[in-house]
Structures are given as C-alpha cells and as structure tokens.
C-alpha cells in the first residue's frame, strides 16, 4: 500500500465530505492572505514606518512562505483536518496538540467576535438607524446556517468574498498605475515614484520604528494557514494544496507589496494616520466618486469572510480535539451533511458573546482582539515550524516516509522562521501597548494547564505520550 493510499484512506475515515474543489481552495488561500489588517490597519503602520513598511511586508511575506512550505510538507505527508494540532500532537506530544488545538479555536472565536462587530459598524455607514447588535446577530445566524448546510456552500461563500477583495485590490493597483503613468485625476500632479523616498527617505522614522511595525504586519498575515484546515475536505489535496501554497509568493507580492507601493506612490506617506484606510485615502485623493462607499463594502465582505472562516475552522478544530479525547465526545459527531454541526454550534455561541458586547458596550466591543489573535497566531506558526523540524529529522533517520511536497532547503527555512517569530515576540514584549497579548496568552496557558491536569486525572490514557512512528513506518 502506498503512502498516498494510506493518506486518502485516513482522511476518508474522518467522515468529512470532499466538497472543496481546486477553485475554492485557491480562493480560500488567497482570501486568507488578504484581511482587514491590510484594508484598515495599514494606515497606522504607514504613519509609523513610512514607505519602509513595504519592505516589512516583503520580509514577513518570505517568512510566511517558509511557514506555509513547512505546513505543506506535513500536509502531503498526512493530510488531516485540524492539521497543525495533529502534527503538534504527533511530533511534540499530546499536551502540545491539546494546547495548539484549543489556542487556534480561541484565535478564531475571538476574531469572529471582532469581525461581527466590524461588520455591524460597516453596515451603520449606510443604515445608521440599525442597532449594531441587530446587524451582528443577523450576520452570525446567516453564516452559521450556511456552515451547517454543507462544506460546498462554505467554500462558495468564501470564494465570492475573496473575489471581491481581490477585485478591489487589483482595481486599486490598475487605477494607481494609470495615475502614475498618464497623470489623470486630482492626484496626477503629486503622484510620483519619488514619493517613496522624497519625504525624509525610505526609512523616515528610522529602522527601529520600521521593525516595530512587524507585529502589525504579522497580524495582517494571520489566516494564511487556514488552507491547512481544508486538507480533510479538499477533493484532491495532493494537487490543490501544493498549488495554493506555491502561489503564495506572488499573492503577497501583488496584494500587499504591490498595492502598498502603488498607494504610497500616489499618496504621500505623511498623509496617513491611525484609523485612516490606505484604500479610502487613495480613492479620495484620486477623486473617485463614492470611493469611501466602495471600500466600506469591500471591508464588510472582508469581515464577513473572516467570520465565515472562523466558524469553519473552529468547528473542525473542536472536532479534532474531541477525536483525541481532549474535548467532549459530542463534538466528534457529524451531521447528515457531513459537517461538525455541534462543534460549530458551540463556537457560534461563544462568538455570540460579541453580539452581547455590541448591545452593552458597542464602542469597546473588540478591544485587545488584535493582541490576542497575534499571540495565538504566533504560537500556531511556531508549532507548525517545530513539528516540521521534528518530521524532517524522522525522515532523515528513515523512521517516516518522505512527503511528496518537500520544503526547499529542508528544515533550514523553518529554523529561520522560528528565529524571526521569536524576534517578533521580543518586539511585542518591548512595546508597552502590545505587551498585553503576552499577558493574555500567559493567562490562557494557565487555564489550559489546569484543564490538562483535570483531563489527566480523569483519563490518563488520553494524556499519555503516544509514539505514532512505528505505525507510520508499518503502513507507509
């Protein structure tokens, strides 16, 4: 029996429907790399770093590619839903699988709360008379029902949400290049490539200030790993996943580096500030009618896309935890439509706390969310990288079969990415405003540690170290 056959049978046994086609997986991967962080939060980082923010996105993009190639090699070694929690469990031990699974669940539940709030605020732009909590509740229910119907519907919704984001960015780039080349619009007289260095240079605030923006830049890239969660429901993971991962460099080059370069050529970096969307500002300077309304619609779809992805991934991760005995067995059940309905339902209930917050304190509904999400995201990425390093050692020693999608340079890229993420963690610790994420993660770790001790006392077999390597060698 070949390794590919074993992988296929393993996924089939999970019970999921292979409902995500290549078109949908590709767009989920693209959409994961384009978030609200680019459309809204980049304005504050431009004010801190000036044009050098382009370089920060490019450097971080290289690190993200290392992370995704590491994940890709693991996915083609053993494609499973809930991927990185499973790999943490296999290569680092049961506790790390438990911790990673619950942390990734937390990341998306909290992000879902924030995105529901954001979506409600964007609706207020057109309909200020509708209370925020009503809009948030409607979006929550609609996306929940869509996720229950089938994975195909989830994939289709995500496809069109991502298509809107991609179209908006490409439109911005094309219009911006037109302004730079032909000089039309109100921005024609001031738009120039020299804007990248004409105002106090490429590093106007110094290299130190530029490096401090890396925390926000990494937050913008959160969710690129979501393509790994789709492994158990992709029609042909051996083809769709490598293609989705290998196209990541050009997506980052176009959507982040390309878009920001064009925007900062059209609009001087000195005109940006916190709370100013680069896209809204660029459309306003160019003089496009209803530019703010267009961007508001795009950002609304970006928020709903993120919430939709959150429901999908939390349900799958909770089922993975239940399957390993680290969450109640009820979450392991699939509905008639092959979706983990009960697991999604619990996640949606927690996301519903966001609706309550919108009712009680709408102006403070998502404080600290960026910090919590970034901390959880860095942990997830570190677990992927360390698992990949351990996997490569096992392959080199002949204990495990080689993946059909090896990362270039072996574990070297993973080591570089590990050092980079630890450096970013140091930057977070240095920044007194961002430091709260480390406090939150410490509290979360303590809570999970207590949960682990309770689990160990009730079911020692679940928490015992299990070495899967002989089994893999046997069936490989």
């Amino acid at each position: 029996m070949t390794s590919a056959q074993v992988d296929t049978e393993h996924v089939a046994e999970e019970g999921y429907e292979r409902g995500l086609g290549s078109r949908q997986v590709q767009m989920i991967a693209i959409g994961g790399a384009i978030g609200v962080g680019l459309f809204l939060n980049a304005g504050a980082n431009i004010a801190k770093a000036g044009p050098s923010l382009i370089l920060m996105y490019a450097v971080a993009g290289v690190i993200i590619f290392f992370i995704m190639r590491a994940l890709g090699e693991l996915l083609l070694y053993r494609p499973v839903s809930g991927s990185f929690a499973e790999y943490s469990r296999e290569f680092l031990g049961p506790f790390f699988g438990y911790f990673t699974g619950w942390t990734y669940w937390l990341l998306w539940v909290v992000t879902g709360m924030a995105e529901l709030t954001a979506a409600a605020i964007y609706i207020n732009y057109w309909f200020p008379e509708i209370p925020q909590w009503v809009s948030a509740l409607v979006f929550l229910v609609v996306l929940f029902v869509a996720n229950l119907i089938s994975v195909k519907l989830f994939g289709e919704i995500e496809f069109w949400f991502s298509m809107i984001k991609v179209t908006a960015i490409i439109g911005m780039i094309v219009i911006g290049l037109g302004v730079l080349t032909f000089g039309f619009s109100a921005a024609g007289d001031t738009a120039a490539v020299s804007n990248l260095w004409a105002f106090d240079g490429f590093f106007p605030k110094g290299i130190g200030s530029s490096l401090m923006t890396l925390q926000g830049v990494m937050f913008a890239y959160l969710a690129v790993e979501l393509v790994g969660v789709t492994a158990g429901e992709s029609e042909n993971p051996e083809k769709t996943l490598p293609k989705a991962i290998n196209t990541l460099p050009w997506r980052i080059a176009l959507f982040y580096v390309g878009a920001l370069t064009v925007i900062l050529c059209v609009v001087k970096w000195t005109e940006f500030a916190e709370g100013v969307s680069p896209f809204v500002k660029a459309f306003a300077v160019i003089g496009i009618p209803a530019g703010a309304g267009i961007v508001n619609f795009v950002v609304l779809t970006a928020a709903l896309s993120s919430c939709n992805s959150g429901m999908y991934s939390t349900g799958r991760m909770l089922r993975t935890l239940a399957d390993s005995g680290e969450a109640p067995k009820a979450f392991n059940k699939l509905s008639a439509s092959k979706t983990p309905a009960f697991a999604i339902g619990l996640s949606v209930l927690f996301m519903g706390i966001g609706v309550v917050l919108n009712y009680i304190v709408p102006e403070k509904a998502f404080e600290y969310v960026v910090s919590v999400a970034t901390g959880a995201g860095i942990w997830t990425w570190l677990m992927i990288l360390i698992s990949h390093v351990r996997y490569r050692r096992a392959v080199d020693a002949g204990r495990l079969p080689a993946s059909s999608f090896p990362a270039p340079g072996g574990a070297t890229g993973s080591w570089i990415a590990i050092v980079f993420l630890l450096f970013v963690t140091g930057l977070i610790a240095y920044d007194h405003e961002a430091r709260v994420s480390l406090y939150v993660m410490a509290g979360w770790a303590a809570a999970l540690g207590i949960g682990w001790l309770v689990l160990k006392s009730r079911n020692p077999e679940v928490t015992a170290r299990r070495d899967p390597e002989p089994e893999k060698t046997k069936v490989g």
Side-chain angles (χ1 to χ4, degrees), residues 271-442:
E271 296 187 29
F272 291 96
E274 186 173 356
V276 177
S277 165
F279 287 80
V280 171
K281 185 67 176 179
F283 279 148
V285 170
I286 292 171
I288 295 177
I294 293 171
V295 174
N296 193 72
F297 174 71
V298 172
V299 178
L300 171 63
T301 62
L304 294 177
S305 168
S306 182
C307 189
N308 188 42
S309 297
M311 289 184 188
Y312 173 87
S313 57
T314 51
R316 273 66 185 174
M317 196 58 73
L318 203 51
R319 185 176 184 239
T320 298
L321 289 164
D323 189 51
S324 301
E326 295 159 357
K329 283 294 182 185
F331 298 131
N332 197 25
K333 296 178 181 178
L334 290 178
S335 67
S337 58
K338 303 292 185 183
T339 62
F342 194 52
I344 296 174
L346 179 76
S347 302
V348 167
L349 280 178
F350 275 91
M351 288 182 191
I353 295 173
V355 176
V356 177
L357 291 175
N358 273 286
Y359 178 73
I360 300 173
V361 283
E363 71 284 353
K364 297 180 179 179
F366 53 91
E367 285 182 6
Y368 303 130
V369 167
V370 170
S371 297
V372 175
T374 303
I378 287 177
W379 173 270
T380 300
W381 289 337
L382 282 172
M383 290 301 98
I384 292 171
L385 294 165
I386 296 172
S387 296
H388 178 248
V389 169
R390 298 290 294 269
Y391 167 70
R392 291 295 306 208
R393 286 179 183 170
V395 171
D396 293 342
R399 298 194 304 271
L400 290 178
S403 170
S404 61
F405 187 47
T412 303
S414 291
W415 278 116
I416 293 172
I418 288 170
V419 172
F420 181 86
L421 290 178
L422 292 177
F423 173 69
V424 172
T425 304
L427 292 177
I428 293 173
Y430 181 76
D431 187 337
H432 69 279
E433 291 183 356
R435 201 179 298 153
V436 65
S437 66
L438 301 183
Y439 299 145
V440 171
M441 287 306 296

Side-chain angles (χ1 to χ4, degrees), residues 19-187:
L20 296 176
S22 176
R23 171 180 65 94
Q24 294 166 326
V25 172
Q26 288 292 319
M27 200 54 79
I28 288 171
I30 292 173
I34 308 170
V36 176
L38 173 63
F39 288 113
L40 285 180
N41 297 347
N45 286 325
I46 292 173
K48 293 176 184 176
S52 64
L53 183 65
I54 298 168
L55 180 61
M56 297 301 104
Y57 270 104
V59 170
V62 172
I63 299 302
I64 291 296
F65 181 62
F66 287 154
I67 294 171
M68 291 305 293
R69 281 306 301 257
L71 177 58
E73 181 166 0
L74 291 169
L75 286 171
L76 270 295
Y77 147 68
R78 191 164 69 94
V80 289
S81 189
S83 56
F84 18 86
E86 278 297 304
Y87 303 136
S88 299
R89 184 174 291 108
E90 177 174 348
F91 296 107
L92 298 171
F95 175 76
F96 288 93
Y98 158 85
F99 196 101
T100 301
W102 278 111
T103 299
Y104 198 66
W105 178 83
L106 172 73
L107 173 120
W108 277 109
V109 165
V110 174
T111 300
M113 291 182 197
E115 301 296 2
L116 282 170
T117 302
I121 291 171
Y122 303 142
I123 285 294
N124 277 359
Y125 176 83
W126 294 296
F127 306 103
E129 69 279 3
I130 298 179
Q132 266 184 224
W133 71 271
V134 173
S135 299
L137 181 61
V138 169
F139 288 136
L140 182 71
V141 172
V142 170
L143 292 177
F144 175 47
V145 172
N147 269 268
L148 290 184
I149 292 174
S150 73
V151 70
K152 287 183 179 179
L153 183 58
F154 157 78
E156 202 61 29
I157 291 173
E158 200 56 33
F159 175 86
W160 289 107
F161 278 161
S162 297
M163 184 67 78
I164 291 169
K165 292 188 284 187
V166 168
T167 302
I169 293 178
I170 293 176
M172 179 69 254
I173 292 173
V174 170
I175 293 169
L177 289 175
V179 172
L180 289 168
T181 305
F182 303 108
F184 62 78
S185 89

